[in-house]
Each structure stands twice: as structure tokens, then as C-alpha cells.
Amino acid sequence: MLGILAIAPSCQRSSVSRLTQEIVNEAQNKTISVAQRPTLFAKALADAILEVDQEIESGIEVPIPKDMAGGYTHERHKRNWLILQQAGSLYQITKQEKYASYIKESLMAYAEMYPTLALHPTQKSYATGKLFWQCLNDANWLVYVSQAYEAIYDYVTEEEREHLESQLFKPMADFLSIENPQFFNRIHNHSTWANAAVGMIGLVMDDQDLIDKALYGLPIKEGSNLDKDNDGGYIYEKGMAKAGFLAQLDGSFAPDGYFTEGPYYLRYAIFPFLIFSKALSSKMPELDIMNYRDGIMTKAIYALLNQTDANGQFFPINDAQKGMSWEARELVTAVDILYYEDSSNKTLLDIAKRQGMVLLDETGFAVAQALDNDEAIPYKQQPMVFGDGEDGTEGGVGILRNQNTCLVMKYSAQGMGHGHFDKLSFSLYDDKGEVVQDYGAARWVNVDQKGGGRYLKENKTFAKQSIAHNTAVLNATSHYEGMIEKGELHHPYLYFANYENREQQILSSKDTNAYPGVDMHRTMILLTDESLPNPITVDLFRISSDVPAQVDLPVWYQGHLLAADFEYDKALNRLETLGVGYGYQHIWKEASGIIETDGTRSLTWFGNDRFYTTTFESEIGEELILGKSGANDPEYNLRYDPVLIRRRSKVAKTLYASVIESHGSYDPVSEIPLNPYSDIESLDVVHSDDEYSVITVRTSENIGWTIGIANQENSLSSNHSLNVGDDQLSWIGPYIILKLQK
Amino acid sequence: MLGILAIAPSCQRSSVSRLTQEIVNEAQNKTISVAQRPTLFAKALADAILEVDQEIESGIEVPIPKDMAGGYTHERHKRNWLILQQAGSLYQITKQEKYASYIKESLMAYAEMYPTLALHPTQKSYATGKLFWQCLNDANWLVYVSQAYEAIYDYVTEEEREHLESQLFKPMADFLSIENPQFFNRIHNHSTWANAAVGMIGLVMDDQDLIDKALYGLPIKEGSNLDKDNDGGYIYEKGMAKAGFLAQLDGSFAPDGYFTEGPYYLRYAIFPFLIFSKALSSKMPELDIMNYRDGIMTKAIYALLNQTDANGQFFPINDAQKGMSWEARELVTAVDILYYEDSSNKTLLDIAKRQGMVLLDETGFAVAQALDNDEAIPYKQQPMVFGDGEDGTEGGVGILRNQNTCLVMKYSAQGMGHGHFDKLSFSLYDDKGEVVQDYGAARWVNVDQKGGGRYLKENKTFAKQSIAHNTAVLNATSHYEGMIEKGELHHPYLYFANYENREQQILSSKDTNAYPGVDMHRTMILLTDESLPNPITVDLFRISSDVPAQVDLPVWYQGHLLAADFEYDKALNRLETLGVGYGYQHIWKEASGIIETDGTRSLTWFGNDRFYTTTFESEIGEELILGKSGANDPEYNLRYDPVLIRRRSKVAKTLYASVIESHGSYDPVSEIPLNPYSDIESLDVVHSDDEYSVITVRTSENIGWTIGIANQENSLSSNHSLNVGDDQLSWIGPYIILKLQK
């Protein structure tokens, strides 16, 4: 439903004046004809009228709170907040009294009930609410309903106002702040909601005390005995010195807008930031909130829009449900508000066009009108590097893109409770979707049959573990032994990056903490060449361990195995698991082959109606394992996805080199395979030691590249030279990519 | 490429006169401007010009035949036939001499080589060709190239004609007929190609002897020692009395156009039928070929168009590759020719629109013009019943359709060498695709890495076996013990069908031969009701065995298991196969539960972004097995798909009752599950004996249906009455569906 996207024009009594005059004029004619409004706005208006009128006809329901999420009272109060907020928008646009009256009567019912409520009977949250099982939902309610109240502020009498504020809004604001500091005073998306709720009702009631609490938080109390919330996150970050909305803006984002939990959670968190900012922007222009911290909100939105594949789906790093995209309602809000605040952002209109919906307010009106005027400029995702952490210095995420291919490398910090143990992992996408996948979270959000929609136990035992990711795993043990407390202490770092040359984009990052005494160093290149049908991914993963270890390097390829050019024995009548812990217990070992001669090997798969091949250099004794997730999964919580694992045993220093290419397609209607074989003929490690890694890749047309990495010196100006076979390879800077002609 | 779809206007010297005058006029102006032609025709023309001009520039290549399919000489000669045929079309349309000259020079090169050729060196076919490894491809070549020769017939001199015909065409026609009777004289799609090839060149050369052979075949020789072809099909059908093209028309189709091998193969076979018919229609109008056998060709095309799901994909029954659809080039040919022959078929234009391409001849011109004139009438697939066998009396296939749901029940004859052992099986589709799948063939057509694109060994050991289908399997043994020789002797039959009432469509069929001493009787209903979001499938499968047997009833549901309301133990650390033969060796036994109380059970899965549930009645002692295909699959040839198997042990007479419903959806962007729970509350067998099967289905809103089937008497007029609990249930005819209100 479009309805749930609508937000009221703003949280300022004079905000009606900001509504586009055209809307108001029409409204004053008491018509609700929608035909002459901009297309998407007219659609939003028609949808809202349909939905709200139906609810008005059904009558007001304000039940005594009782149920958990999914239950009747929960869903009813949730629906009320959405309908009230929409009714507010409709009243402002149409001036039809039925909407104002509906809001007033509903609020009166809430004001009658609220003073009688004790804490919600479920008592399952670290911050139990009154209307809902958790304060978070109470705050959601207040953010939305503040807007409805604002809309009818001048419609109700002064006595009615006094009644509503003293019985409902002020008590609720106090409950969500001073009565629940563990909820209000964190640096966390829960508190962002709390701050926004208290601040927005404060703005409507013109209550400076509430506004100040919202902006600056409550005084910090040291040594609270509340350690973790229901998701396992810390309530008080160590050293935290401030709270409130501005502190959230300071502490939640890296300077370039990256959000440490990843894009799936940023999408969730962005909504209260924006909705409160919009209200502040109107009521307290002196704060210049949209330019706060050098425009951090704008940066966060663009960071979010850019952490997507070609179809706008967010990279599912950390705990994330796949399929979430820039079509989400939070992004509709983000795009509309940001465009309204600065209409020079014409590429946002392109996103709005793909969203196909706008907010039912002046921001949505502006976007819809600009779209009708054909002002959209195509939005193009760019290769870029994001820093993680408040200062942007705690590792990060790098994105390489060219043509239809997008490579994501993750060398970020742990990402709090929703982080995965996947240092230096990568995922790969083309215009049809995932090529090498990140598993995402083991969770079916809101699907009751799957553990009530909560995180499933396999999220911890599999999805978070290192082996579930495309990164090296030593001694069948996850990074940081899978312990978040250890993971939060460290982070990998960017060794170098260069995406200026579109045809030779490169990222290199290092980790020295995931395993004690082990350095991991991965360099990935997105290489485009006229001799190749698509950009290829080149991967050099170097491990240096103080003591010999078993190293597993998985590739979670997406598709059906077509061919492998190595010998393997496949389990025919009986399948067993690959291991007993750290996620290995969830992988069926389907097949395995031991390499008997050094050389180039490959595996070709078919997915997205295309052919893909990974070509790699294998050593004598290396074991190539074919597996599938899904073992030890008593309730069918996992997906059953294929993986290739390259296992080297008892190695101290080793270099894994590989290439991934997309090289053809197949259509079951024409039944003609186009280019079903790899173009890569050979891949050789020609030099590997502490100082340098050098490989040579050759295609079947005998074109090739020699790629050299300086492993210890990333300065742009240092000179490097070494003998490779009979040749001398010399270069300046951290790497060289040398094209070899026939 | 559009190019390969093009066919020349007709195979008659005077055929140019049949070209739409507009084309000829423009052509005579020597322009090749395409802009003013109907849109799709202009596109076809532009594509063909691009492709053929490129080939002309590259020069003629006529290599000595040597390679198998996929090899250079094979692919080159195949490309030549396509380019020559297109060049012929282009010469007729544009009159540019370069096209005629290219065809002449190419044919001269063939005429020089052909007399020197012995049999193709591969010698791997029951009918080895000269240009190709099999006569079939030589016949393909001649069908296409006849059209090119026709186009330049008046361009070449009489001496050149004499040379080409004596050195190339006549010898080739003789080779494909009198020198290879085992290829030419069958009732089989191979012979259809042979007949069309010989007939078409006969028409061009005005050689009545060749035309007669094509139409009426060679004299039948009894007692040939050639038994089977390379696919395992019989070469001479027992009792076959005639051959040739007309005999193919008599023997290949049921009277309603059904083709015993199923739609995937009908799609392949239809092409030579139509292309030769079109030529005959023009040259020998006295044959009235399009009305032959009551218009069998038209019926076959409509039969084919109707054996599709909502997206036009053919039901993958028997050996079929999934994804093949009415967008295939053979269907473009079929639709264009049929529309040209009878332009009252306006719904064909709707198919042409979805195909997005037309032939480069007068038929394609007519279709493109009609589309530009907006003459298309929406094509709507209908529920219908097809009879199998030459007389339509050997069982058949029934299709029930309503709203977004389509149910296919298969009770056809074996379907020759490409048939599966799946008596009384079904598959289910909605507008997004498969809900309960037919596995199709274990084959990747033309994909070299998968066994050269041929049928894989798992096609025989799994895909053809009964357990791979949604039908009952007794004693873990396939129908007819998986022996085609036995399967070809019998067929199930339609017990009754009624799809007049769109809301209560019903099919009932019986089999008495798949297992000795066992009667199987299945009734399926597509039931639509205002209380249900979508049509539901009701299934009553009754088994009567002379001796107690183990009965397995699989449901190959498509998607991820969400929830099961029965207890099961899932294999956690070790998987084993379900059995040792008849396809059971290819199924991993993932989980199993023994039912301890009679009653309603269910399983819910998620697929196509939707929720589906099968609800069924289980008996005490019944074992519910959850499995997955993919065991004993050393080369990853199988898909790994889930199945629920309901196993009853030592039963002589038993009735399986179940319902399948689609009841909601989930979108990972909104994250809101809509209607994730089944609407079916209970399913009870209230009566089951040899005479009657009666069940009651109730929904959660306490609406329901009592459904009764007369098991022995299918007359429309017979009266039935029995006591069900305290009530008497009476009806007339083979069944009753009685709606129970709250």
C-alpha cells in the first residue's frame, strides 16, 4: 500500500504554508479531484483516500494492549498510526472535516486509555513499551501520530489540546525519555526513533524541554547495569560522552555516510533521521540540520543508494535479508525529502521513477511534478570506497564497477551485533543479480512460520561464520573464533585502492587480527579489456601464518555446476558434513579431489541464464571440495547453496590466485549456447614471497596480463623491480598491471 | 537472430506473384529502405540484410564434411542453409543481384563437391548423411536451400539449372529417399523432414516423381531388419501400411491435434509439416492441404499453443527441456503461416505480438501489417481435454484452468521413446510458473559440457521413472517396470471430465495396466470459490491392489519448505538415499515422520514469492518423507529439487486425498507477509470403498465442500445415493461437489 509511505507535510504549525500553493488552492475548493495533480502524487492521493475512507467507515478501534508483534492489538495500533498520519495529510490537502474529526476522536480514545496503562504485559524487551511490547514501537507510533496531531492542531479547541497533551502526548514523551533512559540515551537506531518521537511531539506542542532532550539527550550516567539489548548489542558504548539526536548524527555514520551495520540496517535507520530533520529544518532553521556534519544525511542517502547492485538491491552484507532494495518505503522518504531540500539532486528523480511512488506531502509533490516535467537525470552507480567507523578509519567497504559487473570487497569493522565474521570477503554481481553470493542472514523477516520472523539459530551457527563467506578460513575456525567481543576490538584496513582507470579498478586490503599470528592480504581487480566479453575479476589472496595451518578458501558460486576440469569423487549414496563447528557442520561435503600436479584448474557454472567460470592456480596436494549448505538444519531454515572450497593443508605462507569471468549465455527457447567456454587459458603464480606477488593470466587468444603487487610498500612513489623468469618487471607504486600482447 | 526464422515466400516458381505487391514495388525501385514497411517486418528485413551482407563480405565457405554436431564443418553447413535461405528472401524483396549471385556461387560450390562425397565419415547414425553426420540434417539443408534455389530459378541460365539439378539436387533427393528408406519411409518427425525436403525440391524442379514420393512414400517393405533408431524409437511401426507426407499427417496426430510425444517434440516436428504444406498449398491447391484431415495442421498448432502455462512455456511432460515456449522459432513459423492461410485467426496476432518477430516473407508481412493495424485479439488459453493416439482413444492429457491457475493431468499413452512412466501424474502452474513441477528431461540441449547436449544417463535412471513424477509408485518400482516395450502396449483412459463450469472443473482418469493386478484411479478438481483467494486443487487418488503393497505418492513442490504440521526427524549429519533403483537411488532421504493419529496434515512452502500449502489426510502408520533429488549424480547432471512423499505400507485399497492452495505472498522489500497461512482447516475422507470415494474439505471460515465420486459408474444419468454419517448424499452422474455453508 502506498498509504504507509505517506508522511504529513511537516511538524510545524505553520507548515501548511509550505505546501505547494496548488494543492492548497484545490483543497480549498473542497474538491478531491486528483486528475490534475502530478501523476505519482495523484496516485498517492487516490490510494490514501481509498484506504483512509475505508477505515473511517469501519470505525475507530483502540484496544487495550496485550499482544506481541503479529497479534491483534499490536497490528491494530500499528495500523492506527499509519491511518492517522495519512488522515492528517488528507485533511491538509482536502480540508474535508471528516479527516480532522476522525483524528480527533481517535486521539481522544488514546488519551482516555493511556493514563490507565501499566507496562505492556509481555515484558520481553530490554525496554518494554505501553502500547506495544517494546518502546521502539511506541516511538514509531509517536513519530507518525505527531504528524496527525500537527495537522489538526488548529482544528481542535484549546481545551481539547490541553486534554490531549496532558493525558497522552506529554506522558508518552516522558515515558520514552526519562522513564526509559536505556532506550532513549543510546547511540543506536532505537534511540534515533526515541529522539525523533520526543522531538517531533515537542515541536508540535512547542515544548522546548522535550526538544532539547531530543536533540541533546539526557545526562549520561556511568556504570549502568544494563549491558545488552535484545539483539545482543551493547547499550552503552564504552566512552560514550553524549546522547540525543545530534550525537546520533555524529556517531552513527562514517564521514562519507557509511553505516557500520551495513546498508540493510542503514535503510531501516535512515527513516527517523530524515523525518525529524525535515521537521527541524522547518521549525529550527538556525540548526541548519541538513548541513550538519558537512551534510552527513545527504551523504548517508547517497551511500545507501550506491551500496546496491544494478537492480537497486542492497548488498546483503552482515545480517541482511536479500531482495531489499531502493524501492523500500524508507528510501522513498529519503529520496523525496532530499530532493525537496535540494532540487539540484536531479538524479534522485531517476530513483523516484523506479520507485514508482512518492510521499503524500510537498516533498512527494515536488518529486512527482519534476518527474512529469521530465527533469530526471539517470542515476549511475559509481565505483567507490567507503570508510567505516566514526572517523572513517576503521577499514571499510570497496565497490568496483564497470559495465554490467560489480565487485564488493568487505574489510570493514565488525559492525556490532549484526556483523559477520567475514574479513576480506567479497561478493560479485552482474546486471541479472548475484554471481558469487554473500549468504546474508538466516532469517525470514516477519514470516511467522520461521521462528516468528526473528533471527534463526542458524544465523549464528552458519550465516555469521567465516566459512559461509568468500574469504579464507584457517584451521576450520572462524575469524576471532566467532566472538563478537574480540571482533569489535579490531578491523582490517585498506592497503590501497584505485578506481580512476575504469578498465583496471583495484582494491587491496589487509587483516592482521582475525587470527593471532596471521596476516591476510587480498587484492582484487576488476579488469576490462576489449578482448574479453565482460570485465573479469582477478583475486590474489595471500596468507602468512606464524605456524602452518589448514586454509580453506570458499567461493559461493550461484548456479548449477556445469563442468570442472579437475578430477573429483562425488559422494553417491551417502553424504556427510564437512566439519563439526564454525559453520562447517552446516555444509554437506558432496565431492572432493586432490590435485596431483601444479597448474591451472577451473569450474564452470550456469546461473542467471549465463555461463561463469572461475579459473585458479592449484598446488600439488591441494584439495578441491564441492559442498552445499543445508546440513544440521532440522527445520529447513537454510538455503541449500553450492560452494567450491580450495583447501591447502599445513601451509604457512601461501597465495591463492584466481579469476572469475562471465562468458556467455543460454536461452532455453533458442537452445543455442553462446560462448559456453571460458576465455581464460592459464593462470600462473610466477612469483610469491613476503615482498611481492606476481601472477600471469592468459586468454585463449594469447592475450594476457602480468599483475604484480608490492606486499609491504603501498606508497604511490616507491620503485619496485624484480626478476620474473628471464624478464625484469619494474614499476612505481603499489602494483602493476601489464598487458601482454600476442 | 531473427535470420534463422526467415523462410522464402513459397516453393513455386510463380510465387513472387503472391508476395504483397507493396514489397515488390519497393523492391523494384531498388531501394532497401525498410522504414515504411510494417514494424516487425521492417525489423526482420533489417536484421536479415545485416546478417547476409556480412556473410557475403566474408566469402563462401563449403568445407568437406567431417565433424559431428558442434564441430566446424557441421556448424558451417548449417549456417550456409540459413544464410542461403535468407539471401533468397532478400533477392525476392530487394532484387539486388548480389544476393542472387551469392546463392548461385554457393550452389555451384556445393554442386562441385556433392558428387565427390561418400557417406559422412562419422557413421554414428542409423541413417548417416553426406553433408552431415545424419540424414536428418541433410534434409534440413535441402528444405531451406530449396527455397533459395526457387528464389533464383529465373536468374540462372538453363545450363546452370541443368548442372545444379543433375549434380546436386536430384542426387541429394534420391539419397534422402530411395537410398535411405529407413529414414524416408517412417511415421516419424525424421521422415517428415525427409518428405518435405524431397517434396520441396521436387516442386521447384517440377519433378513429379519426387513430389509423389514425398507425398505417398516408397513402397513399404515388410520385415526390415532395422529395428530402432538412435533414440531407441522403432523404425517401422507394427502394421504400418503407408508412408510419405500424407501418411505423416494421418499418423502423427490425434484428431484434435495432440502429438503423442508431447508439446516439446510437437514444437520440433511442426516446422517441416508447415513449410511443405505452404509450398503445396500454393503449387497443388487441389490437395487443399490445409484442410487435410479436417484441418489437422491448424488443430495441431492450436493444441500446441494451448499446452502452455500463463507465460507461454510448454508443459514439460515427457522428455522436454523446460523454458521452451511459444516464442520458439518453429512457433513463429506456425503462427505466421496459419494466419496467412486464414486471417480470421486474429488471436494468433496476439501470440505474434508476444513473439516480437515475424518471418521475412508474405506471411510475416501480413502478420506485421495486421499488428500495425491493431487487429490482434487477446489469445486466451482454455481448459480442454486432448485425446492421445491416431484415433484419439489412447488416453490423453487434460488441462484445467481458471484465473491464474492451471492444472495438467497426464493419462496419455507412453509417447514412444521420449515418454515417461508417469501414468495419472499431474503438474500445477500459476501465472508465475511451476507450483508442483514435472521434472522434464535430464538434458541440457546443445550444451557441450553436459554430455555433448545429448540425453544424460540420469534421464533414464531418474527423469523417466515414476517416482520423479507426481503419481503413485507401488513397491518402489516404476510403472511397467520402466520398460518402454510394456508401456507401449497400454494406456490409461479418461473416466470423465467436465470443465463447463469454470468454478468446478474436474478430471478423472484410470489406469489398470501400469502394475499387474492394480487399479489406479485419480480425480482432480480445480475449485474456485469467492471465499478462497485463488482456485484450489483437490486430488483424490485411489489405489486397489490384488495384494497389499507399499504405495508412495510424491509431490514435487517448487520452493522452500516453510512449515510442516507433522513431526519429522531430519537427517542432520548424514544423508542416505531413499532406495536403490527406479529413480529412488537419486533421492536423498532428508527427513521422515510416522503419523500416529489419523487426521489432517499439511506442508507449506514458499516459491515464486508466494505461499503454497498442501493439506492432506493421513492415516496412522503412514510415513511422510521429505527428500531431495541429486543422489547418485556423479556429474551434477540433476537439479536438486524437494519432494514430499506420502508412504503407506502394506495397503491393498487406499485413498489419498489432498488439496493444494496458493494463499498469499511475500515481498522482501515491504517485508510484509500477506496471508501466509492456509485457508484449509480440515480434509477428511468420509467414505471410501470400491463404489464411492467421498471427502469433506473445510476452510477456516467454516465454508466447505463435500465431494463424492462414483468409482465404477461414469454415466451422466445414473443415480447415486449413500449414507455419510447421519446424512444421505444423493446425486446424478459420476460426481457431486456440494458446497457446505457455515
Side-chain angles (χ1 to χ4, degrees), chain A residues 264 321 445-446 448-449 560 570 572-573 575-576 590 628 632-633 636 638 640 666 671 673 676-677, chain B residues 264 321 445-446 448-449 560 570 572-575 590 628 632-633 636 638 640 666 671 673 676-677:
Chain A
Y264 178 79
Q321 172 152 297
V445 181
N446 293 328
D448 193 41
Q449 290 105 321
H560 190 109
K570 188 151 182 253
L572 298 179
N573 297 303
L575 270 187
E576 304 204 339
E590 289 186 329
K628 204 157 269 156
N632 276 291
D633 176 32
Y636 286 89
L638 293 173
Y640 293 7
Y666 181 75
E671 296 188 331
Y677 286 100
Chain B
Y264 179 79
Q321 172 152 296
V445 180
N446 292 329
D448 191 42
Q449 290 105 321
H560 190 109
K570 188 153 181 252
L572 298 178
N573 299 301
R574 176 184 292 185
L575 270 187
E590 289 187 329
K628 205 157 268 153
N632 277 292
D633 176 34
Y636 286 90
L638 293 174
Y640 293 7
Y666 181 74
E671 296 188 331
Y677 286 100

Side-chain angles (χ1 to χ4, degrees), chain B residues 365-377:
Chain B
F365 192 93
V367 168
Q369 195 162 52
L371 280 176
D372 280 358
N373 292 341
D374 231 3
E375 294 175 38
I377 292 176

Side-chain angles (χ1 to χ4, degrees), chain A residues 40-282:
Chain A
L40 285 182
F41 188 83
K43 182 175 175 301
L45 185 55
D47 286 351
I49 288 169
L50 199 70
E51 186 168 21
V52 174
D53 285 5
Q54 214 162 39
E55 282 292 335
I56 291 176
E57 193 158 320
S58 310
I60 293 166
E61 285 182 64
V62 179
I64 303 289
K66 163 171 91 60
D67 301 327
M68 281 294 289
Y72 168 70
T73 71
H74 180 99
E75 296 303 321
R76 184 66 244 176
H77 288 297
K78 194 169 162 184
R79 184 151 179 80
N80 284 351
W81 87 47
L82 293 167
I83 297 297
L84 287 171
Q85 188 257 18
Q86 285 193 82
S89 297
L90 290 177
Y91 178 60
Q92 291 199 295
I93 295 169
T94 70
K95 286 284 176 257
Q96 292 203 342
E97 195 185 336
K98 66 177 177 183
Y99 298 118
S101 157
Y102 177 77
I103 294 170
K104 188 180 84 174
E105 294 309 319
S106 297
L107 294 183
M108 287 295 179
Y110 273 102
E112 186 165 348
M113 178 181 72
Y114 196 78
T116 72
L117 297 178
L119 285 186
H120 194 276
T122 48
Q123 303 273 4
K124 291 201 172 178
S125 169
Y126 79 102
T128 297
K130 287 190 167 182
L131 295 178
F132 299 92
W133 73 279
Q134 54 178 349
C135 281
L136 176 62
N137 300 130
D138 284 45
N140 300 150
W141 188 95
L142 190 53
V143 163
Y144 281 84
V145 174
S146 293
Q147 302 168 59
Y149 180 46
E150 157 71 19
I152 63 158
Y153 194 89
D154 294 327
Y155 169 81
V156 294
T157 65
E158 199 167 325
E159 297 88 286
E160 287 166 338
R161 248 181 250 151
E162 163 59 27
H163 178 72
L164 290 175
E165 294 182 7
S166 67
Q167 300 302 299
L168 177 61
F169 292 124
K170 184 66 165 61
M172 192 183 277
D174 288 344
F175 174 72
L176 293 175
S177 54
I178 51 179
E179 295 173 36
N180 280 286
Q182 84 287 10
F183 168 65
F184 188 79
N185 234 28
R186 305 169 63 186
I187 300 298
H188 190 279
N189 70 64
H190 286 188
S191 300
T192 309
W193 276 101
N195 302 156
V198 170
M200 287 175 75
I201 196 66
L203 287 170
V204 182
M205 301 193 305
D206 216 356
D207 182 328
Q208 196 59 44
D209 175 57
L210 291 183
I211 297 168
D212 287 346
K213 281 180 181 144
L215 290 174
Y216 308 108
L218 307 171
I220 303 284
K221 279 191 205 154
E222 285 290 343
S224 161
N225 58 1
L226 281 160
D227 279 325
K228 292 196 180 177
D229 65 17
N230 294 49
D231 292 332
Y234 291 107
I235 289 187
Y236 292 110
E237 297 284 326
K238 204 177 160 189
M240 193 182 102
K242 53 187 182 170
F245 190 71
L246 299 179
Q248 309 285 353
L249 283 172
D250 292 335
S252 299
F253 304 100
D256 53 19
Y258 184 77
F259 188 72
T260 192
E261 295 183 272
Y264 178 79
Y265 271 90
L266 173 52
R267 175 234 16 129
Y268 180 73
I270 199 104
F271 185 82
F273 275 115
L274 273 163
I275 204 82
F276 187 33
S277 291
K278 177 161 167 281
L280 286 169
S281 176
S282 160

Side-chain angles (χ1 to χ4, degrees), chain A residues 55 153 176 191 279 310 336 361 437 442 466 484 592 659 661 689 699:
Chain A
E55 282 292 335
Y153 194 89
L176 293 175
S191 300
D336 287 8
D361 66 3
Q437 71 157 331
S466 304
I484 187 169
S592 148
V659 167
E661 50 174 338
D689 62 16
T699 74

